[in-house]
Each structure stands twice: as C-alpha cells, then as structure tokens.
Amino acid sequence: QGWLPVSWGNHTTSFTYPITGRSGGKAIQVQITNYPVSGTGDSRFQHTDIPVTQNTEYTYSGYFQATTISVKTLLTVSLTTTI
C-alpha cells in the first residue's frame, strides 16, 4: 500500500505486488524482461508521501535482491516542509 510503479525508457518491465518475500513477508518485484543493447530508462516502485512528526526519529530498513550483476540501487529521500 502506498507504492506506485514507475517506468520510463525503451525496455519492457513487469511489476508484481505482493509476492512472498524474505522470511515469508510481503515483497514487491520489478522485472525487466527486455533491455536492448542501447537501452535507456529506469523501473522501480516509488513510495507515496508519508507524513512525519517534527522532532521524531525515523528508521528506514529494507532488503534488496538482484538476479543480475549490472543492477544499481538508489535510495532517494525527499523532505517537504510547510510553514
């Protein structure tokens, strides 16, 4: 809940949720099934905004598994303030 599939470029991607994850929990799957030699693009699940409380510490944790060695991972955090 709260995850959006995002994809752009000239590759073919399938998104699956839920699948059985590590330790039997829920997981999401992004599978690129066709990536041309001159391929471009990105495919991922992206979380929607989450409200937080001022002066509160939050911890993010996750587990990532790839079936290819040419995978780059990136965690992006966005902070929006209101006055």
Side-chain angles (χ1 to χ4, degrees):
Q1 191 175 33
W3 292 95
L4 303 172
V6 176
S7 185
W8 64 271
N10 64 347
H11 57 281
T12 305
T13 306
S14 66
F15 297 94
T16 308
Y17 176 81
I19 62 168
T20 302
R22 193 172 130 203
S23 303
K26 291 181 182 177
I28 55 180
Q29 179 181 42
V30 178
Q31 185 174 23
I32 298 174
T33 56
N34 179 29
Y35 197 88
V37 173
S38 61
T40 62
D42 178 33
S43 295
R44 66 187 180 276
F45 273 99
Q46 180 173 307
H47 205 284
T48 56
D49 290 346
I50 301 170
V52 296
T53 303
Q54 184 177 6
N55 298 320
T56 302
E57 184 176 312
Y58 295 88
T59 302
Y60 170 84
S61 67
Y63 175 80
F64 175 83
Q65 180 178 354
T67 57
T68 180
I69 60 173
S70 64
V71 173
K72 294 180 182 179
T73 60
L74 176 68
L75 172 64
T76 303
V77 177
S78 176
L79 176 65
T80 304
T81 60
T82 57
I83 297 177

